[in-house]
Each structure stands twice: as C-alpha cells, then as structure tokens.
Amino acid sequence: MFDSSNFKLLLVFSEPILSDLVSFRLELLGFNVTAVEDGGQAAAEISRSIPDLVIVDTVLRDGDGLEWIARIRTEHAADRLPIIIFSLDPSLETVERAYHAGAQDYLITPFDPTVMEEKIETLLLSQKTSVKAKAK
C-alpha cells in the first residue's frame, strides 16, 4: 500500500481556487502540501526544503510555468525533483514544451482526481526506486 504521509508536495498555482481544490484533495490523501502562487515563491520554498514532487500550472503570476521549470532544471535533476504540469491547454505543442522544459507528466484541467492521484503516485514510486538504485 502507498503511504502518502511521507511525501512533501509543492503546488505552484496562481489561481487560488485550483490551488485550494488540489491542496484539499491531496491533504485528504495524507500528503504534506505547501501551496505558493508564483515561481519566485516556489524557488524560495525549494531552496528551504526540496519537496518530493512539484505540481506547476503553465500560467504563473510572475511568468510562464514552463520557463520556470526549465530554470529549476538547471539546479535540480529530474530524479531529485519530479514535476507535473497542470494546464488548460491540451495542444500537442504545449505538451511537448512541457516535456522539453523538464516535466515528467502533464495533466489537462479540468482533471479527474483519480488520474491526478495515479500520476503522483507513479512519479513518487519511480523516484523512490531511482534513489534506491543509485544508492547501490
């Protein structure tokens, strides 16, 4: 069984309603959730304590979420900081930009909460497996 209480998630959404909705759902599942409104706050939070996973909207108050991910990737490898993108844009171009920027997964909003949970669990478990493999 998956124990979510050991994982710290960082949400980066400029839209408060989406942030509250996602935070509430993830906290009900037992995750430790920190929510911020922009890339500057997110970078400050990551410098204080690296989360186990980051969920980022493509549109942030202080710029493009995909550009923010590309900047974060210069400091944090994907196996140390998994990232999921949330977006209203289902276009192939935006999905490709997200993966090129360094996201490991993409979720189109509105979303099915079960799909979100599966994506989070998959990334966290693969991260845990990757860390164990490197330790050997």
Side-chain angles (χ1 to χ4, degrees), residues 20-55:
D20 290 347
L21 176 70
V22 173
S23 293
F24 181 72
R25 177 71 181 204
L26 295 174
E27 287 169 348
L28 282 177
L29 294 170
F31 289 104
N32 299 308
V33 179
T34 301
V36 297
E37 296 177 348
D38 60 48
Q41 292 173 341
E45 188 64 37
I46 290 169
S47 70
R48 279 192 286 280
S49 175
I50 297 175
D52 296 299
L53 182 129
V54 179
I55 302 173

Side-chain angles (χ1 to χ4, degrees), residues 79 82 104 120-131:
D79 64 342
Q104 282 93 342
I120 290 169
E121 185 175 332
T122 298
L123 278 176
L124 290 172
L125 290 174
S126 68
Q127 176 195 25
K128 200 174 192 182
T129 304
S130 173
V131 169

Side-chain angles (χ1 to χ4, degrees), residues 108-120:
I108 298 168
T109 56
F111 60 91
D112 179 339
T114 305
V115 172
M116 175 186 69
E117 294 162 22
E118 289 170 358
K119 288 177 179 284
I120 290 169

Side-chain angles (χ1 to χ4, degrees), residues 29-120:
L29 294 170
F31 289 104
N32 299 308
V33 179
T34 301
V36 297
E37 296 177 348
D38 60 48
Q41 292 173 341
E45 188 64 37
I46 290 169
S47 70
R48 279 192 286 280
S49 175
I50 297 175
D52 296 299
L53 182 129
V54 179
I55 302 173
V56 182
D57 196 351
T58 52
V59 179
L60 302 178
R61 288 186 182 185
D62 59 351
D64 185 317
L66 302 180
E67 290 174 8
W68 178 81
I69 290 171
R71 285 194 306 273
I72 287 296
R73 281 289 174 240
T74 64
E75 299 172 23
H76 302 282
D79 64 342
R80 287 195 60 225
L81 187 62
I83 298 175
I84 297 175
I85 288 289
F86 271 39
S87 180
L88 288 169
D89 186 352
S91 73
L92 181 57
E93 178 186 341
T94 303
V95 173
E96 287 176 343
R97 279 187 60 222
Y99 284 103
H100 287 297
Q104 282 93 342
D105 215 327
Y106 195 92
L107 189 61
I108 298 168
T109 56
F111 60 91
D112 179 339
T114 305
V115 172
M116 175 186 69
E117 294 162 22
E118 289 170 358
K119 288 177 179 284
I120 290 169

